[in-house]
Amino acid sequence: MIVKETELPGIGRKFEVEIANKDKVVVIVHDDGRRELYHFDKHDYEESLSSITLSDTEARQFAAIIGGMIYRPKALETIEMAFDELMIEWYRVDSNAFSVGRTIGELDIRQKYEVSVIAIIKGNEKVLNPGPETMIGSGDMLVISGERPGVKRIIKEMFSAEVSSE
């Protein structure tokens, strides 16, 4: 995303935003608090497709909606990509987790939870497609794939400090 800011003397400021898909939005923030938003044709930046004017209060409420302050999508504390029930989750292993000091094979992760550890980041070291002999350590960042219930269960039972028994 590219943002260009220009001062408009006696009016306020203009922000031109070019989004990755080449859409262009211009926001003019007036000194009296009003905001004007213009959406331009990606093939002709001179042709405004639509525009809207918001009061200061409306603009702040709109910003809260877009910024996720009013409603946040489901992926909250961890990074999550979901494809229906299939997901990829990044999770940092808690220091008191049951899995610390144990191997992937010992924990029988694939059979017991029907998930795969597809990568482990141990400090600056990346372990891609770790084998059953790979040891899990405190603070390791695990990249886990599987169906949502299995991923959530293994995190709770093996990688968080919530549960510390098998």
Side-chain angles (χ1 to χ4, degrees), residues 7-61:
E7 183 158 348
L8 302 173
I11 297 172
R13 290 197 176 278
K14 177 170 87 171
F15 298 88
E16 294 181 55
V17 182
E18 188 177 314
I19 301 166
N21 71 0
K22 300 297 182 201
D23 276 345
K24 180 179 175 182
V25 176
V26 173
V27 179
I28 298 175
V29 180
H30 290 263
D31 290 336
D32 66 4
R34 284 180 298 130
R35 273 57 159 206
E36 293 178 43
L37 284 77
Y38 298 91
H39 177 225
F40 289 87
D41 183 344
K42 69 177 85 180
H43 304 293
D44 180 5
Y45 285 165
E46 300 300 315
E47 182 68 34
S48 173
L49 297 175
S50 61
S51 67
I52 185 170
T53 301
L54 301 169
S55 69
D56 183 64
T57 302
E58 291 168 331
R60 291 176 189 280
Q61 289 174 338

Side-chain angles (χ1 to χ4, degrees), residues 73-124:
K74 293 178 184 173
L76 302 175
E77 306 270 313
T78 57
I79 301 169
E80 179 180 299
M81 292 173 47
F83 306 98
D84 204 15
E85 282 297 308
L86 180 64
M87 65 186 291
I88 298 171
E89 180 98 14
W90 294 58
Y91 191 83
R92 186 169 307 282
V93 177
D94 292 341
S95 59
N96 295 353
F98 180 78
S99 61
V100 172
R102 292 181 168 83
T103 66
I104 290 174
E106 263 181 271
L107 297 171
D108 200 20
I109 289 172
R110 285 194 179 111
Q111 294 302 313
K112 194 171 179 182
Y113 297 92
E114 297 180 338
V115 302
S116 296
V117 177
I118 56 178
I120 301 177
I121 301 169
K122 298 173 168 285
N124 292 329

